[in-house]
């Protein structure tokens, strides 16, 4: 009996000891867990900060391949093009550089004149500033900058803010443009770009750091260039109405875009570049969004730019018929040929580029 | 709301902070219920009412059932509850399917019905929470579980957001006591939950989502592809669906752990099963055990002779297939697995066991499941047939790019290594010995890898459609 008691008592002591041990073990594990979570948090924050820094340092060809394409094909020094065309896909698709250059030469009688299409997909004033700054850095110094402008690209709602955050803005630029991003409903991109740069910019970073691995894992983003005409899948008056409607909802000429336009014109002035603002041709379906309120604010802004920066403005918004459009606002092949020639002629005429041959082409526009 | 979306991360962060900041247990459970309602309502705010409605009905029927002394009345109440649950499931999930199937049959007979197509939206997770509701009512009927007195507790059992959309299918006797248990914050459990979440995130965001980019086009237009591409796509899909679903489960279990709940495991190295019965013991365990307990055994299981056992297996698997989706391809997938189980049972019964050939059995079982996945994934029977034909009869056609081949083979290699480690290494034991900085570095590295290698388009979990 006593033996039994002693066994049971020792068992009880063992249990108690193991209970204490397991209690201690639990406490030790909890302490380890706390330290592990702390380590993970600190390392993750450090990795994200390093990632953000890498995004800002990421070379153009990985961060913004379309801009790198433009820089790579721009002539520099004495060979700099006379006219640089800065715009979005509307300019990219709408202007045939060869035709434009040929027409410049033809209408001016000056064989030295040439044009260069520096349009970028989803390009706006933020992009134009970026492109011109980089062109000047590589000693590509044009005499004339033809700049695309439209009511939607001076609005406080910036349709392409998400792209600009992704491909060109630095951490500091993003922080500065938070109010504009909020108005453009791009705060998710701001948040992820600032706090999770490794995710938001993963394609660019992996492409840069481990080109082969990146290709294998996520694929290489297509620079989207050279330009191709869009398939006329967007039926006029039907497709993307919601998107376009968003562009013009609560329209107000304010925010980052007008600021960037002014910066751009200031940059042109300080570098002796003559700016020409070009109101982009759009179809009648697209022009339906240009209400009198929109037109009034837009024109007031353009007139102010003309007055303050001495730039010319040519408006093509209603000058090309719908048959020349592939969709709402991109020209088709016929439109591209026509517009390239028309624009070259107008540039020669407006800037009086030794005009010996006046542009001959006229178009009986039903809109006028 | 997907677990690997920023919306979920935000919701979880708020829920986690409030949950542990609140001291009162009942309030904590209320916080989780509210978070679960928000989690569900972000997808469709109206269908939460279907869920709340059916939940309330089950709650009251269970209370009534427990108080009823008459065995007959108790049975009637149970049947009423099951009928309501299955009725809702049938309406939302199989309504259009039944109408279209009837239309096809009548059209074949020369009687066009011109049945209208109703735009019925399938409530997310309906197949999962219906089974959980049925488990509850049956367990109360059987006296295994006491009817819950508090509606909030029952709501939490059904709505608990980590398992709401795609399981694991929890059982009342396992989950309800956890709701009553007072929770204490534990950093060890938090880091363990984080580990599971990270593992799931890597499986889902890095492996499954990248594989889907390769696999989807092949299954969309299989006619264009040659045999090699088809084989890679089928193997890739096998890896994708495992990483997608088990990744979801890991994340669900991990999230539950951080809130002090334990969800059942759903996977156990399924592609190392040496026969199809073992496969079902390792794949979607919470569903296969549910089907066993609530369908196969009530049908008679294996107690009524060989042929009835085979019949029961076929019925269970065909209905299991139909549970996955309202399409004949899912029925065929269930039928195929039922047939494999019957063949395996007959083979086993005839005692023709081949000893020492386990790797071969594993490979053969994997091949059989891969063929099954073709039925599961293909859009139509003709696509499935075309893919199976090209798997076994060499055919020239479009090939995958070198990168696509590399990704698929890498994913398969990772899966093989993971299965080997999971089978032969005691990870838990090793993990317990690791120092905090190493664990922390592992967690951070997993999060960095997941961010760097996940595709930009966040893809929904495959099992969300069920």
């Amino acid at each position: 009996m006593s033996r039994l008691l002693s066994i049971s008592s020792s068992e009880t002591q063992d249990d108690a000891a193991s209970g204490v041990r397991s209690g201690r073990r639990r406490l030790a594990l909890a302490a380890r867990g706390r330290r592990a979570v702390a380590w993970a948090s600190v390392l993750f924050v450090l990795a994200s900060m390093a990632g953000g820094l890498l995004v800002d340092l990421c070379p153009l060809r990985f961060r913004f391949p379309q801009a790198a394409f433009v820089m790579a094909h721009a002539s520099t020094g004495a060979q700099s093009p006379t006219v640089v065309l800065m715009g979005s896909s509307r300019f990219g698709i709408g202007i045939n550089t060869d035709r434009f250059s040929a027409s410049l030469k033809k209408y001016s009688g000056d064989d030295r004149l040439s044009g260069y299409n520096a349009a970028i997909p989803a390009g706006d004033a933020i992009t134009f500033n970026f492109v011109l700054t980089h062109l000047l850095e590589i000693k590509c110094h044009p005499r004339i900058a033809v700049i695309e402008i439209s009511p939607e690209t001076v609005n406080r709602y910036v349709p392409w803010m998400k792209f600009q955050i992704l491909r060109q803005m630095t951490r500091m630029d993003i922080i500065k443009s938070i109010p504009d991003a909020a108005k453009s409903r791009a705060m998710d991109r701001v948040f992820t770009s600032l706090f999770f740069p490794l995710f938001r910019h993963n394609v660019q970073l992996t492409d840069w750091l481990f080109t082969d691995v990146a290709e294998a894992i996520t694929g290489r983003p297509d620079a989207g260039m050279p330009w191709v005409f869009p398939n006329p899948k967007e039926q006029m008056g039907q497709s993307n109405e919601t998107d376009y409607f968003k562009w013009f909802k609560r329209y107000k000429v304010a925010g980052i875009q007008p600021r960037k336009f002014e910066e751009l014109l200031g940059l042109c002035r300080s570098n002796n570049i003559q700016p020409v603002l070009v109101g982009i041709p759009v179809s009648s379906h697209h022009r339906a969004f240009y209400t009198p309120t929109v037109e009034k604010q837009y024109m007031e802004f353009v007139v102010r730019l003309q007055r303050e920066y001495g730039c010319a403005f040519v408006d093509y918004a209603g000058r090309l018929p719908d048959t020349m459009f592939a969709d709402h606002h991109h020209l088709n092949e016929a439109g591209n040929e026509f517009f390239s020639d028309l624009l070259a002629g107008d540039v020669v005429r407006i800037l009086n580029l030794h005009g010996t041959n006046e542009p001959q082409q006229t178009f009986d526009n039903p809109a006028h | 709301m997907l677990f690997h979306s920023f919306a979920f991360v935000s919701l979880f962060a708020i829920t986690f902070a409030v949950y542990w900041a609140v001291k009162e247990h009942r309030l904590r459970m209320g916080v989780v219920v509210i978070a679960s309602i928000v989690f569900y309502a972000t997808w469709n705010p109206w269908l939460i009412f279907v869920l709340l409605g059916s939940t309330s009905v089950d709650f009251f029927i269970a209370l009534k059932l427990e108080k009823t002394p008459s065995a007959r009345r108790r049975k009637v109440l149970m049947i009423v509850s099951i009928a309501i649950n299955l009725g809702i499931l049938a309406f939302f999930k199989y309504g259009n399917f039944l109408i279209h199937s009837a239309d096809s049959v009548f059209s074949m007979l020369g009687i066009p019905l011109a049945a209208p197509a109703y735009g019925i939206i399938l409530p997310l997770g309906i197949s999962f929470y219906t089974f959980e509701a049925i488990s509850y009512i049956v367990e109360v009927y059987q006296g295994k579980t006491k009817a819950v007195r508090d509606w909030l507790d029952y709501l939490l059992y059904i709505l608990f957001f980590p398992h709401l959309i795609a399981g694991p299918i929890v059982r009342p006797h396992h989950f309800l006591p956890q709701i009553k248990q007072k929770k204490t914050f534990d950093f060890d459990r938090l880091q363990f939950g984080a580990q599971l979440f990270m593992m799931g995130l890597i499986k889902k965001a890095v492996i499954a989502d990248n594989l889907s980019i390769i696999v989807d086009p092949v299954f969309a237009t299989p006619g264009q592809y040659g045999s090699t591409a088809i084989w890679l796509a089928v193997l890739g899909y096998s890896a994708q669906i495992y990483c997608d679903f088990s990744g979801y489960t890991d994340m669900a279990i991990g999230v539950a752990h951080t809130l002090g709940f334990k969800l059942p495991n759903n996977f156990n190295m399924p592609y190392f099963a040496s026969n199809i019965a073992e496969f079902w013991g390792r794949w979607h365990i919470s569903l296969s055990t549910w089907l066993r307990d609530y369908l196969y055994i009530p049908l008679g299981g294996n107690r009524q002779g060989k042929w009835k056992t085979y019949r029961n297996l076929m019925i269970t698997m065909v209905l299991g297939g139909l549970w996955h989706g309202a399409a004949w391809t899912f029925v065929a997938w269930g039928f195929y697995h039922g047939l494999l189980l019957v063949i395996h049972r007959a083979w086993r019964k005839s005692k023709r066991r081949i000893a020492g050939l386990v790797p071969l059995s594993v490979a053969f079982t994997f091949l059989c499941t891969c063929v099954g996945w073709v039925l599961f994934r293909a859009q139509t029977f003709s696509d499935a047939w075309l893919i199976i034909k090209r798997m076994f009869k060499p055919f020239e056609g479009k090939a995958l790019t070198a990168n696509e081949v590399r990704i698929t083979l890498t994913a398969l290699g990772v899966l093989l290594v993971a299965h080997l480690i999971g089978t032969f290494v005691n990870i838990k034991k090793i993990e317990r010995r690791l120092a905090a900085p190493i664990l922390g570095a592992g967690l951070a590295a997993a999060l960095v890898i997941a961010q760097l290698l996940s595709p930009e388009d966040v893809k929904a979990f495959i099992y969300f459609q069920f």
Side-chain angles (χ1 to χ4, degrees):
Chain A
M1 187 65 176
S2 65
R3 187 177 152 75
L4 255 177
L5 274 174
S6 77
I7 289 170
S8 62
S9 122
S10 77
E11 273 175 354
T12 315
Q13 279 169 9
D14 281 353
D15 284 350
S18 77
V20 171
R21 262 204 309 276
S22 76
R24 277 188 196 147
R25 177 89 181 127
R26 231 186 353 258
L27 283 174
L29 285 174
R32 187 190 70 145
R34 190 173 57 241
R35 286 199 304 275
V37 171
W39 270 99
S41 308
V42 169
L43 290 173
F44 175 69
V45 169
L46 289 175
S48 296
M49 284 165 70
L53 195 66
L54 285 175
V55 171
D56 285 357
L57 296 173
C58 187
L60 208 56
R61 68 181 187 279
F62 300 109
R63 176 97 196 264
F64 194 174
Q66 296 91 344
F69 182 94
V70 165
M71 300 308 147
H73 291 81
S75 308
T76 56
Q79 297 298 312
S80 288
T82 325
V83 180
V84 160
L85 301 137
M86 287 188 295
S88 65
S89 58
R90 297 158 168 186
F91 252 29
I93 292 166
I95 297 169
N96 177 333
T97 313
D98 292 341
R99 178 69 192 264
F100 179 82
S101 295
S103 296
L104 269 184
K105 287 170 186 157
K106 185 176 83 178
Y107 297 134
S108 65
D110 185 347
D111 280 349
R112 290 168 304 174
L113 299 188
S114 65
Y116 179 60
N117 196 344
I120 300 268
D124 55 16
I126 307 169
T127 320
F128 307 156
N129 259 294
F130 184 86
V131 168
L132 188 59
T133 308
H134 277 74
L135 283 174
L136 292 171
E137 273 174 15
I138 61 165
K139 312 280 181 231
C140 174
H141 197 291
R143 276 169 56 199
I144 299 155
V146 173
I147 304 159
E148 176 189 313
I149 193 166
S150 61
E152 52 268 39
T153 51
V154 292
N155 189 7
R156 63 180 167 179
Y157 172 81
V158 184
W160 299 313
M161 185 60 122
K162 291 185 172 195
F163 296 107
Q164 320 311 18
I165 291 171
L166 191 68
R167 61 193 189 180
Q168 66 182 73
M169 287 186 172
T170 61
R171 312 294 83 202
M172 204 44 81
D173 292 338
I174 295 172
I175 292 167
K176 280 184 197 160
S177 64
I178 283 176
D180 302 294
K183 284 184 188 115
S184 308
R185 282 165 234 139
M187 281 308 287
D188 57 331
R189 208 70 31 134
V190 166
F191 174 76
T192 51
S193 187
L194 288 178
F195 297 106
F196 298 93
L198 296 169
F199 166 72
R200 178 50 63 209
H201 300 273
N202 65 359
V203 173
Q204 297 152 317
L205 287 175
T206 48
D207 217 10
W208 176 30
L209 300 174
F210 327 97
T211 301
D212 292 339
V213 181
E215 271 186 88
I217 303 289
T218 46
R220 186 182 282 270
D222 182 9
M225 298 167 97
W227 296 99
V228 286
F229 292 102
N231 287 325
K233 59 185 174 190
E234 285 190 26
Q235 293 302 307
M236 294 283 187
Q238 286 177 19
S239 62
N240 289 347
E241 290 287 349
T242 332
D243 280 350
Y244 301 138
F245 181 73
K246 245 191 320 192
W247 289 5
F248 296 95
K249 204 175 161 189
R250 288 194 285 273
Y251 186 84
K252 191 175 179 189
V253 177
I256 194 168
Q257 295 282 27
R259 267 199 329 266
K260 286 287 174 184
F261 262 110
E262 294 201 45
E263 267 180 41
L264 177 68
L265 295 176
L267 188 67
C268 288
R269 181 187 279 168
S270 58
N271 286 281
N272 290 322
I273 299 168
Q274 175 63 49
V276 178
L277 298 175
V278 168
I280 197 74
V282 288
S283 71
S284 61
H285 299 281
H286 195 86
R287 285 201 310 279
F289 291 106
Y290 298 173
T291 61
T293 323
V294 169
E295 286 273 21
K296 184 173 175 282
Q297 287 193 51
Y298 168 61
M299 284 315 297
E300 276 173 6
F301 176 66
V302 171
V303 167
R304 186 164 71 77
L305 290 182
Q306 283 180 280
R307 196 177 54 239
E308 289 181 17
Y309 295 93
C311 55
F313 171 65
V314 203
D315 196 2
Y316 295 95
R319 287 176 62 183
L320 269 67
D322 287 350
T323 49
M324 288 193 172
F325 287 88
D327 59 21
H328 260 241
H329 53 149
H330 292 108
L331 293 170
N332 59 22
E333 222 161 341
N336 163 290
E337 286 289 315
F338 179 78
F339 181 56
S340 306
D341 188 66
L342 185 66
L343 180 63
D346 282 345
V347 168
V348 168
R349 184 172 50 80
I350 292 163
L351 301 178
N352 193 20
L353 299 171
H354 322 292
T356 51
N357 302 317
E358 280 298 304
Q360 299 299 309
Q361 196 165 13
T362 55
F363 191 85
D364 186 15
N365 190 346
H368 289 269
Chain B
M1 195 183 280
L2 302 170
F3 285 164
H4 57 312
S5 65
F6 287 102
F8 177 78
V9 172
S10 312
L11 175 70
F12 175 71
I14 295 166
T15 308
F16 181 82
V18 177
Y19 179 85
W20 290 113
V22 167
K23 295 287 170 216
E24 218 259 302
H25 178 72
R26 212 177 126 71
L27 266 177
R28 270 186 186 158
M29 298 304 112
V31 168
V32 183
V33 169
I34 291 167
S36 303
I37 290 172
V38 173
F39 175 78
Y40 198 84
T42 50
W43 165 70
N44 187 320
W46 298 109
L47 286 173
I48 189 73
F49 293 107
V50 174
L51 185 49
L52 292 175
S54 69
T55 310
S56 308
V57 170
D58 293 327
F59 172 73
F60 288 113
I61 289 180
L63 280 176
K64 182 88 182 149
L65 192 151
E66 200 175 53
K67 284 180 193 158
T68 307
S70 153
R72 197 166 160 273
R73 270 183 67 84
R74 285 166 58 84
K75 196 167 192 172
V76 168
L77 282 169
M78 180 187 70
I79 290 168
V80 166
S81 171
I82 293 174
I84 290 171
N85 280 298
L86 291 180
I88 293 170
L89 178 67
F91 172 76
F92 281 106
K93 189 160 181 173
Y94 304 107
N96 275 333
F97 172 66
L98 292 172
I99 291 168
H100 289 141
S101 298
D103 194 24
S104 305
V105 170
F106 279 98
S107 296
M108 276 196 295
L109 296 172
I111 315 163
L113 279 182
Y118 296 105
I120 302 170
I121 303 168
L122 180 70
L124 269 182
I126 190 167
S127 310
F128 290 90
Y129 68 69
T130 300
F131 275 21
E132 283 160 358
I134 292 173
S135 296
Y136 172 68
I137 211 77
V138 171
E139 284 200 9
V140 171
Y141 172 77
Q142 291 171 336
K144 276 188 194 170
T145 297
K146 286 199 167 207
V148 175
R149 296 290 185 271
D150 190 337
W151 187 54
L152 189 80
D153 287 357
Y154 185 67
L155 264 185
L156 187 55
Y157 163 66
I158 295 290
L159 283 173
F160 186 54
F161 66 89
H163 75 63
L164 175 60
I165 307 291
I169 300 168
V170 294
R171 300 294 184 88
H173 66 268
H174 178 254
F175 195 78
L176 288 172
Q178 294 190 53
I179 297 174
K180 286 286 169 213
Q181 199 176 28
K182 206 168 180 313
K183 310 288 176 205
T184 44
F185 183 75
D186 181 357
F187 264 111
D188 185 40
R189 208 157 174 192
L190 173 65
Q191 74 88 18
F192 182 62
Q195 271 182 40
L196 284 174
F197 191 88
M198 289 306 154
M199 194 161 71
L201 187 66
I202 297 257
K203 279 185 188 173
K204 167 64 183 163
V206 178
I207 303 178
D209 284 359
N210 277 304
L211 278 173
S212 84
I213 296 168
I214 299 162
V215 167
D216 290 351
V218 180
F219 276 92
T221 52
Q224 293 180 5
Y225 291 87
S227 294
T228 314
I230 293 276
W231 263 108
L232 284 167
V234 171
L235 292 172
Y237 184 69
S238 305
Q240 184 203 339
I241 194 167
Y242 169 70
C243 290
D244 190 286
F245 194 19
S246 76
Y248 169 86
T249 307
D250 291 340
M251 286 193 249
I253 297 173
V255 167
H257 262 298
T258 63
L259 300 173
F261 286 89
K262 192 177 178 191
L263 296 180
N265 200 6
N266 229 4
F267 293 89
N268 179 24
M269 315 297 147
Y271 291 144
F272 269 13
S274 58
N275 59 61
I276 202 71
E278 197 185 323
F279 172 79
W280 279 104
R282 290 163 172 257
W283 177 274
H284 203 173
I285 300 165
S286 65
L287 174 70
S288 51
T289 49
W290 195 98
L291 289 173
R292 182 196 65 200
D293 296 345
Y294 295 100
L295 191 57
Y296 179 67
I297 292 173
L299 281 170
N302 57 3
R303 301 183 306 266
Q304 296 166 327
K306 187 169 74 174
W307 294 107
K308 283 199 173 163
T309 303
Y310 295 163
R311 179 204 66 183
N312 296 341
L313 280 172
M314 291 305 295
I315 291 172
T316 306
M317 293 315 291
V318 167
L319 289 177
L322 192 60
W323 174 88
H324 279 83
W328 288 107
T329 46
F330 288 114
V331 176
W333 176 75
F335 184 86
Y336 169 78
H337 271 277
L339 206 62
L340 290 178
L341 284 168
V342 167
I343 293 168
H344 166 255
R345 199 166 184 89
W347 177 277
R348 198 186 66 174
K349 283 278 172 198
S350 66
K351 300 195 190 308
R352 274 181 285 169
R353 284 178 72 89
I354 304 167
L357 289 178
V358 174
L360 211 63
S361 312
V362 168
F364 184 68
T365 307
F366 178 62
L367 178 69
C368 290
T369 50
C370 285
V371 173
W373 291 135
V374 174
L375 288 167
F376 192 90
R377 176 64 180 81
Q379 302 293 317
T380 59
F381 279 119
S382 54
D383 277 0
W385 178 237
L386 186 78
I387 292 168
I388 293 169
K389 257 195 328 195
R390 289 191 183 180
M391 280 170 78
F392 296 103
K393 191 177 168 194
F395 187 88
E396 289 291 318
K398 200 171 153 186
L400 297 182
T401 64
N403 285 335
E404 288 171 338
V405 173
R406 210 185 311 167
I407 296 170
T408 311
L409 293 179
T410 307
L412 289 167
V414 169
L415 201 60
L416 175 68
V417 171
H419 268 60
L420 285 168
I421 292 172
T423 307
F424 298 111
V425 180
N426 188 343
I427 302 169
K428 203 172 175 183
K429 201 173 164 185
I430 295 172
E431 188 269 340
R432 289 281 137 186
R433 287 177 183 167
L434 289 178
I438 296 172
L439 273 178
L443 283 173
L447 193 49
V448 166
I449 290 169
Q451 287 190 79
L452 278 175
L453 300 185
S454 59
E456 193 181 357
D457 288 338
V458 175
K459 292 188 188 300
F461 291 94
I462 294 172
Y463 265 68
F464 271 23
Q465 62 185 300
F466 308 137

